[in-house]
Amino acid sequence: MTERLMRAVEISSFGAPDVLRLGQRPVPQPGVGELLIRVAASGINRPDVLQRGGHYAPPPGASDLPGLEVAGVIEAGDTQAMASAGLKVGDRVCALVAGGGYAQWCVAPVGQCLPVPAGLNDIEAASLPETFFTVWSNVFDRGRLQAGEFLLVQGGSSGIGVTAIQLARTWGATVIVTAGSDEKCAACIELGASHAINYKTQDFVAEVQRITNGRGVDVVLDMVAGDYVAREVECLAEDGRLVIIAVQGGVKSSFNAGLVLRRRLTITGSTLRPRSVEFKAAIAQS
C-alpha cells in the first residue's frame, strides 16, 4: 500500500524566516484517543519563532514541525473517544497540538479539540486554541481571577493580550492593559479594556495606583519578567497574584520581598506546551 504524503513546512536549519521550507511528510496516523484533522489554517505563535531560531525544542514525542494550533475538518480517528466528546468525522474543529500544525494534516488528542464557534472562519478559529488555553490556565486557574477584581495585562495588543481582555471582561473583571503606542491602547479599549497605559510615555506603576485609587490590582499577567517583576509587585493589591508566562525581558528579577510578605502576594508561572494531554484536556473541558 502506497504511503500517503502531504505538504508540510519544515525548519531546514535554525535561523530567520527564510529557513522555512515546503517539504513532504507522511500523513500522520491517529492513535487511541486521537483524531486526524485536514488542516485549513494554522496559527502562528511566539514558540514557533523561538523553535525556528533553535531556542525552543519540541517536547519528547512531539512532531518536529512547527505549529501549535490548527483549524479544519475531522477526517478520521478514535470513534469512541470522539463520540464521548460529542464529535464525529466531518465536524469542524480547532485544536491545541504540541507541534505539527504547519501541514495539510495534523493529529490531535480528542480532548484538546473544540468545535469551531459559530460565525468564525477557519483562519479565525485557528487563532483561538493556544491563546485561549494559555489565558484560561494562567489567569483563571493559576491567577484565580474573580468577577469584580482588577487584572493588569502586560502587552494588551498581543495575541495573549487581546484574549485576556475579552475573557476577563466577559468574566466581570476590570481590565487594565499596557501597550506600546496610543493606537494600540485605543484598540485595547475597543476590545473591552477599561484602561490602557502607553508604557513608552507613562509609568505603569503610577498609573495603576491612580486608576485603582492606591488599592492595586488583584492579578497581573506578565509576558516580560526581568525588571518588570519588581514594578509589578508594587502594583499588586493585598493577596494579589503575579502570573509569569514568558521572559521576553530576561530570566533574572530582583524585587522587594518585604512587599510580598506584607501584602501576602503570590508569584507563579507556567508553560503549556510540555504539559500532559490530560492537563490540556482539563483546560478544554473547563
Side-chain angles (χ1 to χ4, degrees):
M1 189 177 192
T2 305
E3 189 174 46
R4 192 163 63 141
L5 298 177
M6 65 177 182
R7 288 177 294 172
V9 176
E10 301 173 325
I11 300 173
S12 61
S13 60
F14 297 135
D18 58 6
V19 304
L20 297 175
R21 295 283 186 272
L22 189 61
Q24 280 195 328
R25 293 286 184 95
V27 174
Q29 300 301 308
V32 175
E34 295 179 331
L35 50 75
L36 179 67
I37 299 171
R38 185 169 72 251
V39 176
S42 304
I44 299 174
N45 292 277
R46 183 170 295 274
D48 301 327
V49 177
L50 294 173
Q51 181 178 336
R52 190 197 70 219
H55 308 300
Y56 194 178
S63 170
D64 65 310
L65 297 175
L68 303 183
E69 55 185 352
V70 298
V73 176
I74 299 174
E75 191 168 281
D78 183 333
T79 54
Q80 184 173 348
M82 285 193 287
S84 297
L87 299 171
K88 62 183 184 303
V89 171
D91 283 352
R92 293 177 66 219
V93 293
C94 54
L96 181 73
V97 294
Y102 289 13
Q104 288 182 289
W105 282 270
C106 182
V107 164
V110 171
Q112 293 174 207
C113 297
L114 295 171
V116 171
L120 266 62
N121 63 37
D122 292 321
I123 292 174
E124 291 166 337
S127 75
L128 297 179
E130 174 70 12
T131 60
F132 272 73
F133 278 59
T134 298
V135 170
W136 188 264
S137 176
N138 287 283
V139 173
F140 296 93
D141 287 342
R142 300 190 73 81
R144 308 185 307 281
L145 183 70
Q146 302 296 315
E149 291 190 326
F150 282 91
L151 169 67
L152 172 63
V153 180
Q154 303 286 16
S157 60
S158 66
I160 292 290
V162 300
T163 301
I165 290 169
Q166 294 174 91
L167 280 176
R169 172 68 180 268
T170 301
W171 201 249
T174 299
V175 184
I176 305 170
V177 304
T178 62
S181 72
D182 291 341
E183 292 76 16
K184 289 180 178 179
C185 285
C188 291
I189 295 293
E190 189 174 348
L191 283 167
S194 296
H195 307 275
I197 302 165
N198 184 338
Y199 64 81
K200 292 184 178 178
T201 61
Q202 297 172 290
D203 178 355
F204 73 78
V205 178
E207 283 300 298
V208 164
Q209 295 300 333
R210 179 187 66 80
I211 291 165
T212 63
N213 293 317
R215 174 188 179 277
V217 297
D218 301 283
V219 180
V220 177
L221 181 62
D222 176 26
M223 294 167 267
V224 184
D227 60 10
Y228 264 48
V229 173
R231 299 164 69 193
E232 288 161 344
V233 165
E234 293 180 20
C235 289
L236 285 168
E238 291 188 353
D239 297 303
R241 291 84 72 191
L242 167 58
V243 186
I244 302 169
I245 61 169
V247 289
Q248 297 174 33
V251 298
K252 293 186 178 181
S253 305
S254 177
F255 55 87
N256 184 341
L259 279 179
V260 176
L261 300 180
R262 291 193 297 275
R263 296 183 186 171
R264 304 176 302 278
L265 306 181
T266 299
I267 300 175
T268 184
S270 74
T271 57
L272 183 59
R273 190 178 187 183
R275 298 300 296 269
S276 68
V277 170
E278 293 76 18
F279 179 84
K280 295 172 186 175
I283 297 174
Q285 287 300 311
S286 183

